[in-house]
Amino acid sequence: MDKPLHPDRFYSPDPIQYNNTTYYLSFDENAQQRFLCIEGDTSAFEGESQVGVYYCPMTPKNAAALRERLPWLKPQPVGLATSFGFGDRLGLATPGHIAAVQGTDIVPVFVQQSVRENTRTGRTPQVVLDDAMWALFFMDWRTPWGADADHIKEISDLPPFIAAGYTFFTIDPNQYVDNPAHTDSVETLKAKVSDLPWDTLGISLDSLYRLYLANPIQLGEITLEFQEEILLRAAAKYGNAIAHIKQVSDYLVENVNQFDLEASVDETDTPTSVQEHYFIASELRRLG
């Protein structure tokens, strides 16, 4: 900083006081840079002190330290509450997203980016989360919010999202969907189904037949019937995708304390029938 910043020149609307320490943002006009200003306990933060104020650059380390100090700045699982995924791809739009959701009963998922989006924009899961968090601090948002690692394709995609503290994981197993099975012959379907990873699926083909073919499935006023061909086509199309979702989910269970899980079987080349929708959901539920 070329000159001291006056502690009364708040960049954030109001200072936040929590556990006998005051936090706010200030702006250095010369450097055209924002700083986190702290008056009180500055342990775990990096910066420099001037005129009784500790000026901290908006680094990942200081963002992490601030999340530990102000617990509402950490994303949380949103469960089955009505939620909306915003996804600020530029790191600039979260204040507008906050304005849009204020006064509603919607739980916002302010952070929602895929590996593909991060690659194209040159951002990282940590940068995306930190950018949103600074906006939440600026706007003094204190109600629960989520952070979604969107369109996760492989287990190898997960570590940077887990390290950054994401709490929502959308698994995209589309590359494991067998689109040709939509029109394959019954003989071909039987061959494909016999090669499914039954150990991962935790069931045998005979048990699958008994589960889906024994009786019609009643869903309220809707009755679903599975003939053998319908079941074979569903299993051939989506069996490997379901197994992949299970493997990714198991990894998350081992590495994340609490999280939301979404299976996003979309962007496929073929439509999904009503029975196939039920099959996917039923199998995921059976697998826990």
Side-chain angles (χ1 to χ4, degrees), residues 167-286:
T167 56
F168 193 127
F169 299 88
T170 300
I171 304 173
D172 178 354
N174 293 326
Q175 64 196 40
Y176 294 90
V177 174
D178 188 334
N179 289 295
H182 188 67
T183 55
D184 281 338
S185 67
V186 172
E187 290 73 20
T188 301
L189 293 175
K190 287 181 177 180
K192 288 184 173 181
V193 168
S194 68
D195 289 335
L196 289 176
W198 293 105
D199 287 344
T200 302
L201 293 172
I203 195 171
S204 67
L205 180 57
D206 287 343
S207 296
L208 200 72
Y209 269 53
R210 289 193 294 271
L211 186 60
Y212 289 94
L213 300 182
N215 298 295
I217 296 164
Q218 199 67 35
L219 302 173
E221 298 179 356
I222 300 172
T223 301
L224 288 183
E225 293 194 30
F226 279 81
Q227 287 82 38
E228 181 183 27
E229 182 177 343
I230 292 174
L231 178 59
L232 287 171
R233 203 170 301 281
K237 282 177 72 174
Y238 300 109
N240 283 308
I242 291 166
H244 179 66
I245 293 169
K246 170 64 173 170
Q247 291 172 328
V248 178
S249 175
D250 286 348
Y251 181 89
L252 288 169
V253 169
E254 292 175 1
N255 291 278
V256 183
N257 289 330
Q258 289 184 309
F259 62 92
D260 293 313
L261 181 69
E262 177 184 4
S264 179
V265 190
D266 60 358
E267 299 180 14
T268 55
D269 297 336
T270 58
T272 308
S273 70
V274 174
Q275 286 92 340
E276 289 165 352
H277 272 291
Y278 178 82
F279 177 78
I280 295 168
S282 176
E283 286 302 287
L284 292 178
R285 177 176 239 179
R286 180 181 62 79

Side-chain angles (χ1 to χ4, degrees), residues 22-34:
T22 301
Y23 309 87
Y24 55 93
L25 297 182
S26 192
F27 187 70
D28 182 349
E29 293 180 349
N30 290 335
Q32 291 293 294
Q33 184 178 355
R34 290 183 298 170

